[in-house]
Amino acid sequence: MKLSGSEITYDANGLVPAIVQDAETDDVLMLAYMNVDSLRLTIETGETWFWSRSRGELWHKGATSGNVQKVVEIRVDCDADTLLVLVSPAGAACHTGERTCFYRNLG
């Protein structure tokens, strides 16, 4: 079943969580947030764009680092309030230089 971007359920701040996963390895790379504009740009450009909650602006993943994420597929959960973005990454996903933001264990 295909949905359009207008069918996404955004929160009170106009955001939807986007889980980014490596399409080849299935590793979860990061969690970020998208708004209407960043989702539109992601679909139009084929690379991930997000909304920075801390900076209050759009950001293109890899714009400064070169570690862009080419979109393979975007999936929507059953409630249409979370996105799963399958990507082909060109480098580290984490700002620390780690391949994934989930490189630490709890406990």
Side-chain angles (χ1 to χ4, degrees), residues 23-57:
E24 185 177 323
T25 67
D26 290 335
D27 289 341
V28 175
L29 301 177
M30 59 185 283
L31 168 72
Y33 291 85
M34 290 185 170
N35 64 8
V36 171
D37 292 332
S38 62
L39 179 56
R40 178 184 51 76
L41 284 167
T42 296
I43 292 168
E44 287 177 0
T45 66
E47 294 183 353
T48 55
W49 285 77
F50 303 102
W51 178 257
S52 171
R53 295 176 300 160
S54 60
R55 295 188 312 266
E57 64 185 17

Side-chain angles (χ1 to χ4, degrees), residues 26-101:
D26 290 335
D27 289 341
V28 175
L29 301 177
M30 59 185 283
L31 168 72
Y33 291 85
M34 290 185 170
N35 64 8
V36 171
D37 292 332
S38 62
L39 179 56
R40 178 184 51 76
L41 284 167
T42 296
I43 292 168
E44 287 177 0
T45 66
E47 294 183 353
T48 55
W49 285 77
F50 303 102
W51 178 257
S52 171
R53 295 176 300 160
S54 60
R55 295 188 312 266
E57 64 185 17
L58 289 169
W59 60 282
H60 176 215
K61 178 65 179 154
T64 56
S65 68
N67 296 335
V68 296
Q69 298 170 336
K70 298 284 186 185
V71 176
V72 174
E73 183 178 1
I74 301 174
R75 297 181 185 172
V76 182
D77 79 335
C78 57
D79 296 321
D81 64 359
T82 304
L83 303 176
L84 176 63
V85 185
L86 302 174
V87 301
S88 177
C94 188
H95 71 280
T96 65
E98 294 288 336
R99 177 172 157 31
T100 171
C101 292

